[in-house]
Amino acid sequence: MVSVLNTVDTGHEDMIHDAEMDYYGLRLATCSSDSSVKIFDLKNGSQSLVADLKGHVGPVWQVAWAHPKFGNILASCSYDRKVIIWKELGEWTKIYEHTAHDSSVNSVAWAPHVFGLILACGSSDGSISILVSNGETWESQKIPNAHTIGCNAVSWCPAIEPVLDSTTSHQKNVKRLASGGCDNLIKIWREEGDRWIEENKLEAHSDWVRDVAWAPAIGSSKAALASCSQDRRVVIWNSTDYTSWTPIILNVFDDVIWSVSWSLIGGILAVSGGDNKISLWRENTEGQWICISDLNKGQGNLNNSDQRAL
């Protein structure tokens, strides 16, 4: 069984929607329907509040830490249609605000650090924004009409696949992004030149896709994705060529599943949802996914206040 090592009293005044550990596991960022983002130092089993960030005017759905090579940077997204990028410059400061979406921004995810400081943002307006830092300024691209009705989740492919760049005779990584939406679809996008193209469309769910998570690199010849949905199913997708994807239904749960999250080496998948449980799953030698542990929170609905950092 999973055991609780520590409980953080965040002091949020409303439902918590996300909790994310930083790269080193020394800081925790949380966000809430109280419109705030909070950052805590975690030391010796205790925590201290280091920042209470006010900038949103609606529920904050998700937070995401950038790689530490860029400094201490955190992104947040909200029902208020904004994405805010915060940086610790002595104290935590808003360094950029993205306001190009027409509806709630539901998900933010940083690209692998080898590509630079790049953030993907998925919105209920159906589009995905790609924000690129050029040092002092930010540029944005948009994938319009990515998902009918809305985009609920975005996740980057690990930077592992080398291809030959004919103009330079050097190898470079392909940028890929997975997204999940209210059209019950998972889509895979690939950057080509200065635009993003739909590389693949994955169909297995019968209701809104709530989260999608690209597994950490497990070899250049294999890719894996996990998706979860309001249809109560979690699906594992496998591919050896990024073209053909094979779905495996991990499990059908008793309630909506809000979140899926991989361990750092990709061997274990965490699942959380409306059944008030966080369960851990591992693939056995026969290719079957087995529940190895679960934690019943006992009180309240997990909603999408998920434990994304395993």
Side-chain angles (χ1 to χ4, degrees), residues 206-232:
S206 59
D207 207 335
W208 290 13
V209 177
R210 281 298 182 178
D211 198 14
V212 59
W214 210 301
I218 50 178
S220 59
S221 62
K222 184 178 180 182
L225 280 168
S227 60
C228 65
S229 166
Q230 289 195 191
D231 66 10
R232 302 180 290 118

Side-chain angles (χ1 to χ4, degrees), residues 155-227:
S155 179
W156 289 88
C157 174
I160 57 170
E161 188 196 10
V163 296
L164 189 65
D165 181 353
S166 60
T167 61
T168 63
S169 297
H170 292 300
Q171 288 187 333
K172 65 178 182 179
N173 280 309
V174 175
K175 294 189 187 77
R176 279 190 174 88
L177 180 72
S179 61
C182 301
D183 50 10
N184 310 344
L185 299 174
I186 297 101
K187 293 187 178 183
I188 297 175
W189 309 89
R190 187 182 75 243
E191 186 185 48
E192 272 199 8
D194 59 355
R195 64 192 185 98
W196 288 81
I197 65 167
E198 182 183 309
E199 184 179 58
N200 224 313
K201 183 187 298 181
L202 310 183
E203 302 182 60
H205 291 290
S206 59
D207 207 335
W208 290 13
V209 177
R210 281 298 182 178
D211 198 14
V212 59
W214 210 301
I218 50 178
S220 59
S221 62
K222 184 178 180 182
L225 280 168
S227 60

Side-chain angles (χ1 to χ4, degrees), residues 128-144:
I128 298 171
S129 288
I130 310 294
L131 309 181
V132 181
S133 172
N134 294 313
E136 297 298 319
T137 62
W138 291 80
E139 296 180 358
S140 66
Q141 299 172 283
K142 184 169 280 192
I143 305 173

Side-chain angles (χ1 to χ4, degrees), residues 237-297:
W237 306 83
N238 292 292
S239 178
T240 57
D241 58 6
Y242 295 91
T243 300
S244 299
W245 292 83
T246 303
I248 299 171
I249 297 176
L250 177 139
N251 192 41
V252 180
F253 293 83
D254 295 330
D255 207 333
V256 55
I257 299 299
W258 295 106
S259 173
V260 284
S261 178
W262 294 95
S263 62
L264 293 178
I265 58 173
I268 298 174
L269 183 72
V271 177
S272 65
D275 57 3
N276 297 329
K277 291 182 180 179
I278 300 168
S279 55
L280 304 182
W281 298 76
R282 176 185 286 152
E283 188 178 18
N284 65 17
T285 55
E286 287 77 39
Q288 299 171 319
W289 285 84
I290 306 298
C291 181
I292 59 174
S293 197
D294 64 80
L295 171 65
N296 194 327
K297 297 295 288 182

Side-chain angles (χ1 to χ4, degrees), residues 67-120:
H67 191 277
K69 71 174 285 186
F70 303 109
N72 291 326
I73 294 178
L74 185 74
S76 59
C77 62
S78 169
Y79 180 79
D80 65 8
R81 301 179 290 179
K82 294 192 293 186
V83 175
I84 297 178
I85 299 175
W86 314 83
K87 185 171 185 178
E88 189 176 30
L89 301 166
E91 61 182 29
W92 282 89
T93 304
K94 177 168 64 176
I95 61 170
Y96 183 69
E97 185 172 288
H98 182 61
T99 58
H101 285 288
D102 298 323
S103 191
S104 172
V105 183
N106 303 317
S107 182
V108 284
W110 294 100
H113 67 276
V114 296
F115 295 137
L117 194 56
I118 303 174
L119 185 72

